[in-house]
């Protein structure tokens, strides 16, 4: 059986639209996620007495990196 993945043509790079537009959406989503993350982080700290695995900034970055490309796909 032949392995076609060895000499496969390179995949085209995905385009995220215009660069400034992606950065604008990313920053808006990040700001909203940061506010939500701060509130959630402080609530969990107060209610359980333990810190969550990700801090509020790390969680906001993670959410923004997932949500911003979804905006451009639709």
């Amino acid at each position: 059986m032949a392995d076609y993945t060895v000499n496969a043509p390179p995949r085209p790079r995905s385009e995220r639209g215009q660069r400034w537009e992606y950065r604008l959406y990313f920053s808006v989503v990040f700001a909203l996620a940061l506010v939500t993350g701060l509130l959630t982080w402080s609530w969990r700290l107060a209610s359980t007495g333990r810190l969550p695995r990700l801090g509020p900034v790390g969680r906001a970055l993670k959410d923004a990196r997932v949500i911003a490309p979804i905006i451009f796909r639709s």
Side-chain angles (χ1 to χ4, degrees):
M1 183 181 243
D3 185 11
Y4 292 108
T5 60
V6 174
N7 294 327
R11 293 181 177 174
R13 292 185 60 151
S14 63
E15 295 182 25
R16 291 189 284 189
Q18 295 179 359
R19 200 73 167 147
W20 64 271
E21 190 177 7
Y22 179 81
R23 288 183 181 168
L24 176 71
Y25 282 117
F26 184 85
S27 61
V28 168
V29 170
F30 176 73
L32 292 173
L34 185 61
V35 170
T36 306
L38 281 169
L39 292 173
T40 305
W41 183 80
S42 61
W43 175 256
R44 285 198 181 163
L45 179 62
S47 64
T48 63
R50 297 184 320 178
L51 291 174
R53 187 175 63 89
L54 282 176
V57 176
R59 181 67 184 189
L61 279 173
K62 184 177 177 182
D63 290 344
R65 286 182 184 138
V66 170
I67 295 171
I70 292 172
I71 293 171
F72 278 92
R73 280 188 227 144
S74 56

